[in-house]
Amino acid sequence: MIAEVRGSTVYAFECYDVKDYLKAYNFRWDPDKRAWVKDLTNGTLRFLQQLGFEIVKPTPKEVSPELYRELKELYPKAFEHQIVGAGLALQERSFLLGDEPGVGKTFTGIIYLDYLLYKGLVKYGLVFCPASIKRQWQQEFHKWVGETALVLEGDPRQRKRFRKLFFHSRYPVLILNYELLLRKDVQEFLAQIAGESFAVVLDEASRVKSPTSKTFRVMKRLLAKTPYKLAMTGTPIENHLGEFWAIGHLLKGQEFMSQEEFEENHCKVIRIRVPYRPYYVPKVVGYKNLRKFLYRVEPFYIRRKKSDVKDMPELVEYEREIPASDIQKLIESRIIELASDKKGVEELATLQLLRVVADDPSLLLESSSPTAQLIAQEFGMYLQKISKVPKLEELETILEEHDSKVVVFTSFARMARKIAQHFGKQAIWLTGELSGDEKARRVGLFKSSDEKKILVATDTLTYGISMDEADVLVHFDIPWSVGKLIQRTDRIYRVTSTQGKSVYYLISEGTERKVWEILSSKRSLFSKVVEGEIMGGVKDEIIKALKGKAVRKTA
């Protein structure tokens, strides 16, 4: 239980079991703060300590006046919040910048690395980021500090030649994607860099969130060799609190919280039977003591929203419910029926087909999934006759309502190409199969061309890339991740935005509506961490809801 002192008031959190004692001591319930509240006295604190509360008093984060003035002089183009963010990170050395997507974290990361190099505190700088935005990072370095950071890419032979170039470069900052961490030659390259002083920036740090992955383990060993590391992500939690812990552990290690301590103090665990195992295994079903967790993170973490740093233009969101056709309803029922007989990965893969059906059932004809092929055999005659796609018709209506550039997100590459083909010369598609250079070329063409008004992309565009030139964004389908939903919208809604933005959610009747209801309840995820309401992962909740639907259908 936590009691927080703010000025002359004390707030008691996470204390359901002792609420009757608090009432008797004249505490009152504040529904907005979700806490029991009372004026502060020494007697009050003694009473709370006797009940077992931990008393905390938050301290405001401040950058020293000397460092603030120096950063302002060196980086005059930076916004106030970027100077403050970089200053706090430099003071703490290891820091998590959790600013909302679109606030401008990239320049903050550049200031952090550039200042350390300028002061001679490190010899090298490393930037890890998704492959799709490596070139954008290089452009941002040149834009803001007039320097050319080097991008690591190519095959092993090309990377070997690159190593010599890097160690003789004028500006020793290396930009590389997370996947390269698993390459043996890159690990040897990084070991050579780690032999000297260096600093690391992790952009979209939620990419390294699984403690059981090899990428996490390799990154952990690298970061242990330097005190200077800045993790940046607008979505430190996409599905569960363990992802937040993982990033904090990468930065601070045991100093922050061991995995054993996290599981014991903050995870609700049950033991379940697993087929073919003679013993029960633990499963995390929820989280506890969330306020206490945040106090452990607070010294090296800050999050600002766009509304915190400037008066933002209006963001208007529209839900468009799309009626399901008869064939969509039939196939949905059949997929849920088939999923009820599967477990684990097979069950998830089968249920994911429901997302395809919500977009365009005819895509199942091109799928290599065994379940999709079975559906294609059963319904092939109807699938081949589909001439109208309800979501495409709705998208046409939206485009007629707006005379501006539009970004359309879909989870499926085949759907992205089909949408772009439908709209002809005014559309460009962007999927993960394209090379980094080709993606950059297409993004540049969309930004600069008056002819190209529609960019249709998969989630390869989700992270890091600004599309502020567009005033409209359409979620053609709904991802099963709160983080992706937030990242998609914030491609067009940036701290640099000067015009109002419109966001449309195309929600197919039936299963997708159920998914949307669950995601909507989770969209305030970060504030809910503070209020202590998170329970379990989003995907788990969706699967549970759909399985329940299957049970009701077969009952």
Side-chain angles (χ1 to χ4, degrees):
M1 297 182 294
I2 294 284
E4 182 179 303
V5 177
R6 301 181 195 169
S8 59
T9 308
V10 62
Y11 298 83
F13 298 95
E14 300 174 349
C15 50
Y16 180 82
D17 292 340
V18 297
K19 66 177 183 178
D20 290 335
Y21 292 99
L22 297 175
K23 286 181 183 177
Y25 204 75
N26 295 324
F27 274 78
R28 65 185 185 282
W29 174 250
D30 185 330
D32 295 327
K33 300 291 185 182
R34 298 191 62 81
W36 292 92
V37 182
K38 192 177 187 299
D39 292 339
L40 177 63
T41 66
N42 290 333
T44 303
L45 293 182
R46 284 196 298 272
F47 168 75
L48 292 171
Q49 288 170 333
Q50 289 170 357
L51 289 178
F53 278 85
E54 180 179 343
I55 310 297
V56 297
K57 187 174 182 179
T59 55
K61 293 185 175 73
E62 295 180 348
V63 180
S64 72
E66 296 80 9
L67 179 58
Y68 178 86
R69 284 194 297 269
E70 189 175 13
L71 292 176
K72 285 289 285 184
E73 290 174 5
L74 288 170
Y75 310 101
K77 295 180 181 179
F79 287 117
E80 176 77 8
H81 71 279
Q82 292 169 326
I83 293 291
V84 171
L88 292 172
L90 288 164
Q91 288 178 171
E92 185 64 29
R93 300 203 294 182
S94 293
F95 199 73
L96 173 54
L97 185 66
D99 289 347
E100 188 178 51
V103 168
K105 293 184 291 293
T106 301
F107 192 10
T108 305
I110 289 172
I111 294 172
Y112 177 79
L113 275 185
D114 189 72
Y115 182 83
L116 290 171
L117 289 166
Y118 168 73
K119 300 293 284 188
L121 296 171
V122 299
K123 189 173 181 179
Y124 303 113
L126 299 174
V127 176
F128 288 91
C129 65
S132 58
I133 58 174
K134 288 193 294 187
R135 290 293 177 186
Q136 180 173 327
W137 262 94
Q138 186 182 47
Q139 293 165 7
E140 294 291 308
F141 267 102
H142 189 267
K143 174 182 177 181
W144 296 116
V145 295
E147 299 286 359
T148 302
L150 300 179
V151 176
L152 182 62
E153 53 194 355
D155 58 32
R157 188 180 303 174
Q158 292 170 316
R159 295 197 294 262
K160 186 176 181 179
R161 291 197 298 267
F162 180 89
R163 288 168 69 165
K164 295 181 180 179
L165 175 64
F166 175 75
F167 287 117
H168 292 90
S169 63
R170 176 179 175 276
Y171 193 70
V173 172
L174 181 65
I175 303 169
L176 63 165
N177 50 299
Y178 290 103
E179 292 80 5
L180 289 176
L181 267 176
L182 302 183
R183 304 289 186 266
K184 185 176 180 180
D185 65 296
V186 175
Q187 290 177 16
E188 293 172 353
F189 185 12
L190 293 174
Q192 193 174 353
I193 291 173
E196 305 280 355
S197 58
F198 69 104
V200 180
V201 169
L202 306 179
D203 188 21
E204 304 300 345
S206 55
R207 289 291 185 96
V208 195
K209 63 189 179 185
S210 174
T212 59
S213 70
K214 187 175 180 181
T215 301
F216 183 93
R217 294 195 299 271
V218 174
M219 181 64 80
K220 183 178 177 180
R221 288 196 297 269
L222 176 66
L223 295 185
K225 297 175 181 178
T226 177
Y228 296 106
K229 43 223 175 193
L230 172 62
M232 307 193 306
T233 173
T235 52
I237 304 171
E238 290 196 2
N239 289 299
H240 57 79
L241 195 66
E243 297 170 357
F244 205 163
W245 168 83
I247 297 173
H249 189 70
L250 274 177
L251 292 173
K252 296 290 187 177
Q254 302 292 91
E255 177 190 341
F256 166 51
M257 192 186 302
S258 68
Q259 186 166 2
E260 292 76 16
E261 183 184 355
F262 171 69
E263 291 174 352
E264 180 180 348
N265 294 334
H266 301 288
C267 296
K268 295 179 179 178
V269 180
I270 62 172
R271 294 192 173 274
I272 61 172
R273 289 293 301 269
V274 175
Y276 312 115
R277 292 191 185 182
Y279 51 85
Y280 288 85
V281 298
K283 179 181 180 181
V284 176
V285 295
Y287 299 95
K288 61 186 179 181
N289 302 326
L290 300 175
R291 176 75 59 169
K292 191 172 184 178
F293 177 87
L294 284 174
Y295 281 116
R296 293 288 296 273
V297 176
E298 190 269 341
F300 62 91
Y301 171 67
I302 192 170
R303 176 175 177 81
R304 282 84 55 93
K305 297 181 179 180
K306 288 185 282 286
S307 57
D308 295 332
V309 300
K310 66 171 286 191
D311 291 330
M312 292 294 295
E314 186 177 21
L315 175 70
V316 183
E317 297 180 292
Y318 304 90
E319 292 180 25
R320 295 284 177 91
E321 182 151 340
I322 313 299
S325 65
D326 291 338
I327 188 65
Q328 282 177 307
K329 293 176 183 177
L330 284 170
I331 294 175
E332 266 198 11
S333 298
R334 181 64 174 134
I335 289 173
I336 292 173
E337 180 184 340
L338 291 168
S340 66
D341 298 327
K342 300 180 185 296
K343 299 293 182 184
V345 175
E346 287 188 357
E347 177 189 51
L348 177 59
T350 302
L351 290 172
Q352 291 275 15
L353 291 175
L354 293 168
R355 302 173 63 204
V356 178
V357 175
D359 279 5
D360 180 359
S362 67
L363 293 178
L364 295 174
L365 294 169
E366 305 171 43
S367 175
S368 59
S369 159
T371 305
Q373 292 176 355
L374 177 62
I375 296 292
Q377 289 177 3
E378 295 181 12
F379 297 92
M381 181 176 67
Y382 301 101
L383 294 175
Q384 291 170 0
K385 291 181 179 180
I386 291 176
S387 58
K388 291 185 178 181
V389 179
K391 282 191 175 182
L392 264 180
E393 292 179 337
E394 185 62 34
L395 182 57
E396 287 178 346
T397 301
I398 292 170
L399 295 177
E400 288 172 0
E401 296 171 359
H402 296 275
D403 185 24
S404 61
K405 288 184 179 288
V406 178
V407 174
V408 180
F409 271 109
T410 175
S411 300
F412 309 106
R414 294 191 304 276
M415 194 71 240
R417 292 192 291 270
K418 186 168 185 175
I419 295 170
Q421 183 180 8
H422 180 81
F423 289 101
K425 292 183 178 180
Q426 63 177 328
I428 299 175
W429 58 268
L430 193 72
T431 64
E433 68 204 55
L434 300 174
S435 68
D437 288 342
E438 179 59 18
K439 289 176 187 174
R441 187 191 72 80
R442 295 192 182 198
V443 168
L445 182 61
F446 173 74
K447 288 170 174 273
S448 61
S449 171
D450 292 333
E451 180 186 13
K452 303 297 183 183
K453 299 190 67 174
I454 307 167
L455 178 65
V456 189
T458 59
D459 289 315
T460 190
L461 187 70
T462 298
Y463 294 98
I465 298 177
S466 171
M467 302 301 298
D468 197 22
E469 292 80 2
D471 293 332
V472 179
L473 185 139
V474 179
H475 296 272
F476 196 83
D477 45 52
I478 306 301
W480 287 13
S481 163
V482 175
K484 284 185 179 178
L485 197 69
I486 294 169
Q487 289 279 7
R488 281 180 174 188
T489 296
D490 286 313
R491 291 315 94 215
I492 71 165
Y493 194 53
R494 320 286 294 176
V495 73
T496 52
S497 298
T498 57
Q499 298 188 92
K501 306 288 184 175
S502 298
V503 176
Y504 291 84
Y505 301 92
L506 305 191
I507 305 163
S508 183
E509 175 190 4
T511 299
E512 196 167 49
R513 165 55 61 182
K514 172 63 69 176
V515 171
W516 175 246
E517 289 171 359
I518 293 171
L519 283 170
S520 295
S521 71
K522 298 285 187 179
R523 285 182 69 193
S524 56
L525 195 58
F526 302 109
S527 62
K528 286 188 176 184
V529 169
V530 176
E531 301 301 338
E533 297 175 10
I534 293 177
M535 294 292 292
V538 176
K539 283 184 181 177
D540 288 343
E541 193 168 331
I542 290 171
I543 291 171
K544 184 178 179 181
L546 297 182
K547 284 175 70 176
K549 189 174 181 179
V551 170
R552 287 192 295 275
K553 282 182 175 290
T554 56

